[in-house]
Amino acid sequence: MLQKLFIIYTALFLLTFSLDAQTTFCPDDPPLNSWLADSPYPIYHRNSYAQASSCIKGILPGDTVTIKTRTNITGGTSPWIYLTDKYPNGERCILFSNSTHVFKLIDDGNSIVAIDSFRIDFDPITSFGYNHLLTRDHIWFSYDPDYNPENGEYTRLLKFSDEDVNDPYSDIILLDEFSFEAFEIPAVNMYNLNYYGEIVWYSERDTNDTYAYAGVIDQDFNMLDTLRFEVLPAERVNHNSISVDEENNFYIVTSHRLIQFTWDGNKVLIGWQALYDFVNDGPTGNFAYGSGTTPTLMGWGEGNDKLVVVADGHANNNLVAFWRELPDGWTGIPNMPLHFADSISIPNAMSFSNLFQSIENSPTVHGYDVAIAQFNGFLGYDCENLKGVSKFNWNQEGNEFELQWTNDEVNMNGVLAYSSGSDLVYGSGKEEDCNYYYYGLDWQTGELKVDVLLGPEGTFLDDPFYDAGVNNVIDEDGSIYFPGGGSVVKLERHPLSTATIPSPNDSFSIYPNPSSTHVFVNHLAHPGTSYTIYSIDGIALRSSTLRNTQIDISDLPAGLLVFQFEGKDGIVVKKVYKD
């Protein structure tokens, strides 16, 4: 009895500690991993279940949005961004991980500024900054995946912190470094943090194309265990990241199967695996082989369905669910593996090349709802794009997916972010007018609710709004960050409920609205500000520099006009109706 009471009191203490330590934990989140940083986005796909959803309220219809960018960040494409724990002064830093560097940036109130950078690699081709783990107390991990045993190169795992953990403006320091060389492990670029606070990982095939490895490392860089498992003929192993459940099982998807690894603190084993042809008739290029998506976990708690959700790489893609735990009485589906639960065709999912998957961005899950978007490429794409965002629900009674809606009018080329606080799902994309837009779709209907013109495309990797197919981070104030190929973009939210009527003394106020001949702008704090006027269709009607407070619009077409001002403090977008 005393032992049971001890366990109960210990659990309550840990729960209280965890909730106090992580103020960004949402009540409808999966079980809390208290080792992650207290951050709105401490890990790729936001949480250990890789769901990319949050309760934090994002941009709402009618809000004013100020666009800030930090451009010319060196190091190649496919970065992910993360927000740190709060520092004692209440600020958070932005961590940006790409092919060659780790960057530390901050919004100082006027613009996004770089604080420090740390070079981790000199090869921008073979490494991508997918995995970045933020733990408590301003500790984070990144990696260099280079692997060439003939040249003595093995993957390195790097542990970073601040020189002064109480100062957001302090430099980055390297605390420790781990090499997989001593264990002769092939390239490793997929990691996650389990509920013991340990780092789980898995590798590519070895040089003999016979085995791959999975294992666990503690935060002091002790290798706790490794498992060598045999790969199947022609199996592509290391393409997608890892999700972890509260029992410390972790999940990977290959071109041929979905695998659950178990970890009891002593031994890594394969718990179960489900053979499934994720390639079939789909593309097989260097950046596409099998599923392009990280396994996303759905469901927890006693009596609920517990699933792993991925998209396959077929020419006509499917959303596929596997049982994490087999329900009572489950006997399986004929000709399918026992853990296969269901699949459903994804509307508007279409192969566009043999280089990438049609669905390369992982599912976004909230409860038993899941949304997923058509992909157009990591390396830039034409203004003529493929569109499609779809939402499904898992029917627990019928053990099957049901399509709730699909929207074939917008391009959202990244991992979607859902906010239950605003009931919108967010993402960005380039459209036929070669402008980038930021969108918010109604979670219940798919209807377009937020439509922010970001600006025109630029040169590859010198394009501030370039959507590299990665994450969207919703901050506590409802602002949203996302990375470009070599940039960080912030959509700073100014809620409609707190807005005041513009006056000539307001910075960047624009009036009257509506107008038929002229509008006036207060730009006294922003001399030399340039501006472009767009039609509602995104067509640039005029570009100039503010020289006085008056702008003549008498020669412009009637309707909604979008003014994009760009100055030393970033980008501001205003809308005026010309009658």
Side-chain angles (χ1 to χ4, degrees):
M1 182 66 181
L2 288 175
Q3 184 180 22
K4 290 182 179 179
L5 287 173
F6 174 78
I7 293 172
I8 292 171
Y9 283 124
T10 301
L12 288 172
F13 170 78
L14 290 174
L15 178 61
T16 303
F17 170 80
S18 299
L19 292 177
D20 288 344
Q22 295 209 345
T23 57
T24 53
F25 177 72
C26 294
D28 48 5
D29 274 355
L32 173 69
N33 185 342
S34 61
W35 288 94
L36 292 176
D38 180 14
S39 162
Y41 214 103
I43 194 171
Y44 51 91
H45 305 289
R46 189 178 169 266
N47 55 31
S48 298
Y49 271 44
Q51 292 186 330
S53 59
S54 173
C55 62
I56 300 173
K57 183 182 295 183
I59 297 168
L60 294 173
D63 289 343
T64 298
V65 175
T66 302
I67 303 170
K68 295 180 176 179
T69 61
R70 172 71 189 193
T71 58
N72 300 317
I73 301 175
T74 60
T77 186
S78 285
W80 284 65
I81 59 173
Y82 311 85
L83 297 180
T84 66
D85 293 283
K86 281 185 177 179
Y87 290 83
N89 66 358
E91 291 186 286
R92 296 188 191 276
C93 290
I94 308 159
L95 297 180
F96 181 103
S97 172
N98 64 17
S99 301
T100 58
H101 290 74
V102 173
F103 291 89
K104 182 181 174 185
L105 307 103
I106 198 167
D107 182 354
D108 66 0
N110 295 314
S111 59
I112 299 174
V113 298
I115 298 169
D116 195 19
S117 66
F118 192 100
R119 185 151 199 167
I120 57 177
D121 185 27
F122 288 83
D123 185 356
I125 304 299
T126 61
S127 62
F128 298 94
Y130 291 130
N131 290 260
H132 200 108
L133 310 176
L134 273 65
T135 72
R136 298 181 309 214
D137 303 322
H138 300 283
I139 302 294
W140 69 91
F141 298 86
S142 193
Y143 69 103
D144 169 16
D146 283 351
Y147 175 66
N148 188 340
E150 293 182 0
N151 295 335
E153 292 180 338
Y154 286 83
T155 299
R156 295 177 301 137
L157 187 60
L158 307 169
K159 181 178 182 179
F160 296 102
S161 187
D162 302 301
E163 188 171 38
D164 179 354
V165 295
N166 294 312
D167 180 7
Y169 291 88
S170 66
D171 291 343
I172 298 170
I173 58 171
L174 178 65
L175 296 178
D176 203 356
E177 180 177 320
F178 175 89
S179 174
F180 286 87
E181 181 176 8
F183 304 90
E184 298 184 348
I185 302 292
V188 179
N189 57 13
M190 303 301 174
Y191 305 87
N192 206 329
L193 200 72
N194 69 16
Y195 283 72
Y196 291 153
E198 300 155 343
I199 299 165
V200 299
W201 56 268
Y202 77 106
S203 80
E204 294 182 357
R205 303 162 69 105
D206 63 17
T207 52
N208 296 319
D209 284 339
T210 305
Y211 297 98
Y213 296 78
V216 182
I217 301 171
D218 68 19
Q219 291 191 32
D220 293 323
F221 284 167
N222 298 300
M223 181 70 81
L224 302 181
D225 194 35
T226 63
L227 172 68
R228 186 178 74 165
F229 61 98
E230 190 170 355
V231 294
L232 304 174
E235 183 178 21
R236 175 76 173 263
V237 178
N238 194 247
H239 181 56
N240 301 109
S241 200
I242 306 171
S243 55
V244 182
D245 68 27
E246 63 273 26
E247 302 298 328
N248 291 311
N249 305 309
F250 56 103
Y251 301 82
I252 71 168
V253 62
T254 77
S255 58
H256 288 59
R257 52 184 164 163
L258 192 140
I259 307 174
Q260 180 206 65
F261 294 96
T262 63
W263 168 243
D264 62 1
N266 295 299
K267 206 73 179 162
V268 177
L269 298 170
I270 291 180
W272 56 262
Q273 56 184 314
L275 298 178
Y276 181 91
D277 183 2
F278 285 97
V279 179
N280 199 266
D281 56 351
T284 57
N286 287 337
F287 294 96
Y289 204 98
S291 175
T293 64
T294 294
T296 302
L297 307 188
M298 176 187 285
W300 62 90
E302 187 174 353
N304 291 320
D305 289 352
K306 300 177 180 65
L307 301 160
V308 188
V309 180
V310 292
D312 65 26
H314 298 182
N316 295 310
N317 305 81
N318 300 288
L319 188 65
V320 189
F322 298 86
W323 297 109
R324 300 202 320 267
E325 296 181 11
L326 298 175
D328 291 341
W330 179 259
T331 58
I333 295 174
N335 302 316
M336 298 302 292
L338 183 62
H339 280 264
F340 176 87
D342 190 35
S343 67
I344 189 171
S345 178
I346 302 173
N348 309 308
M350 184 183 304
S351 295
F352 61 95
S353 77
N354 197 44
L355 187 63
F356 296 106
Q357 291 293 5
S358 315
I359 303 293
E360 185 72 31
N361 297 313
S362 300
T364 296
V365 168
H366 180 259
Y368 284 96
D369 290 334
V370 53
I372 200 163
Q374 165 73 35
F375 182 61
N376 281 282
F378 286 124
L379 305 177
Y381 55 93
D382 294 335
C383 303
E384 296 291 333
N385 57 65
L386 300 175
K387 304 179 189 300
V389 182
S390 300
K391 182 194 168 194
F392 305 86
N393 174 261
W394 176 259
N395 183 327
Q396 291 193 78
E397 297 297 324
N399 291 332
E400 61 183 358
F401 281 122
E402 297 173 340
L403 175 66
Q404 291 194 314
W405 53 259
T406 189
N407 183 322
D408 61 0
E409 297 180 351
V410 296
N411 166 35
M412 297 170 75
N413 194 55
V415 176
L416 305 176
Y418 170 63
S419 162
S420 61
S422 54
D423 207 31
L424 298 176
V425 60
Y426 299 99
S428 68
K430 182 170 59 176
E431 299 293 4
E432 286 83 353
D433 60 4
C434 294
N435 280 297
Y436 290 99
Y437 293 82
Y438 201 86
Y439 296 127
L441 302 183
D442 188 292
W443 187 248
Q444 306 304 324
T445 66
E447 181 182 357
L448 181 62
K449 293 292 187 180
V450 172
D451 184 357
V452 179
L453 173 65
L454 298 175
E457 67 173 338
T459 305
F460 177 58
L461 292 186
D462 187 20
D463 189 340
F465 306 116
Y466 164 67
D467 49 338
V470 283
N471 61 334
N472 297 269
V473 177
I474 307 172
D475 202 354
E476 286 112 324
D477 66 358
S479 299
I480 299 178
Y481 297 85
F482 71 90
S487 64
V488 171
V489 181
K490 180 181 182 181
L491 284 75
E492 188 170 273
R493 179 187 179 223
H494 305 282
L496 180 64
S497 60
T498 61
T500 58
I501 298 174
S503 72
N505 295 321
D506 290 332
S507 176
F508 272 117
S509 61
I510 185 166
Y511 59 96
N513 188 7
S515 176
S516 58
T517 57
H518 295 80
V519 293
F520 296 85
V521 179
N522 182 337
H523 68 288
L524 298 179
H526 306 271
T529 297
S530 63
Y531 71 92
T532 301
I533 305 175
Y534 296 91
S535 71
I536 189 59
D537 298 322
I539 299 171
L541 303 174
R542 182 193 303 157
S543 294
S544 187
T545 300
L546 282 173
R547 306 192 187 283
N548 53 54
T549 60
Q550 180 175 284
I551 300 176
D552 186 352
I553 61 170
S554 60
D555 60 333
L556 299 180
L560 189 66
L561 301 176
V562 180
F563 290 71
Q564 178 176 291
F565 301 92
E566 186 168 0
K568 65 183 182 67
D569 291 339
I571 297 174
V572 175
V573 176
K574 297 288 186 180
K575 297 178 182 179
V576 170
Y577 187 84
K578 183 188 176 186
D579 54 23

